[in-house]
Amino acid sequence: MKFLFTFLVAFTCIATSYSQATNTLTFENFETDFFSYNPEKKKTVTEDHFSFAEYVISETKKSLNNDVSNYNVINYWNILTALDMLNEDKSTLILAFQKLVELEGSCKYIVNYKKKISFYKTITAMYDHYYLQCKKSDSLLGTN
C-alpha cells in the first residue's frame, strides 16, 4: 500500500509538471515553445475572448508552418494580443513584447496602436519606454 501511495504521488507530480511545462514560454525558446502552447480558459476570461484568442493562436501557428524562421512582427503582435485576451500574467506579456521589439518594423505597431490595445494597461511602463524610443527614432530620421 505504501508503494502504491508513493507511486500515485510521484505520478501526479510528474503529470502536473508536464502539463504546466507545455504552456511555459521562455525568452530563449519562445518560438519553439509557442508551437506547444495551448490556451487554457481561466474563470476571468469571457467565452468570446477565449474563442478569439484560441483562433488567433491557431491561425498564427498555421501561418508559421512549424518553422521558427517564419516569425515576423505581425506574428508577435498577434501572439501578444491573444495572450492578453487570455489574461496571461504580466511577465508573459512582457516576454512576448520583448520578442516583438527585437524586430525591425515593430515601431510602426508600437506607435500606431498604442491607444487601440488593451495590453497597454498591463505593460504600460515598458510600452511607454519603447514608444518614446520609436518616436525619437522617427524624429531623428525625419519621418515624423
Side-chain angles (χ1 to χ4, degrees):
M1 186 63 143
K2 192 174 187 181
F3 172 75
L4 180 61
F5 178 74
T6 303
F7 173 76
L8 289 175
V9 169
F11 179 77
T12 302
C13 290
I14 291 169
T16 302
S17 67
Y18 177 75
S19 67
Q20 290 172 348
T22 59
N23 275 344
T24 301
L25 299 170
T26 63
F27 188 82
E28 297 79 21
N29 298 313
F30 185 91
E31 292 74 15
T32 53
D33 291 344
F34 177 69
F35 292 123
S36 62
Y37 177 85
N38 293 307
E40 294 177 7
K41 173 95 170 60
K42 296 178 181 174
K43 292 177 184 177
T44 57
V45 177
T46 67
E47 192 59 45
D48 286 344
H49 280 180
F50 181 76
S51 294
F52 184 73
E54 193 173 43
Y55 172 77
V56 168
I57 289 168
S58 173
E59 291 301 307
T60 302
K61 287 179 181 180
K62 282 182 197 173
S63 75
L64 292 168
N65 199 27
N66 222 21
D67 185 350
V68 296
S69 67
N70 288 338
Y71 277 87
N72 59 42
V73 174
I74 295 168
N75 299 129
Y76 289 113
W77 189 266
N78 288 340
I79 292 168
L80 182 55
T81 300
L83 294 173
D84 180 52
M85 292 186 95
L86 293 167
N87 286 343
E88 288 289 355
D89 59 52
K90 183 177 180 175
S91 63
T92 303
L93 296 179
I94 287 172
L95 174 63
F97 189 74
Q98 286 173 319
K99 298 304 275 188
L100 169 81
V101 299
E102 287 185 336
L103 296 179
E104 187 175 330
S106 62
C107 279
K108 179 180 177 180
Y109 285 83
I110 292 169
V111 171
N112 291 329
Y113 296 109
K114 178 180 179 181
K115 295 179 181 177
K116 299 176 183 176
I117 52 165
S118 62
F119 59 81
Y120 173 76
K121 294 174 186 171
T122 307
I123 60 170
T124 304
M126 181 177 228
Y127 197 101
D128 283 345
H129 170 77
Y130 283 100
Y131 178 85
L132 292 173
Q133 282 189 338
C134 289
K135 293 295 278 182
K136 182 178 178 183
S137 173
D138 281 353
S139 64
L140 291 176
L141 296 172
T143 59
N144 205 6

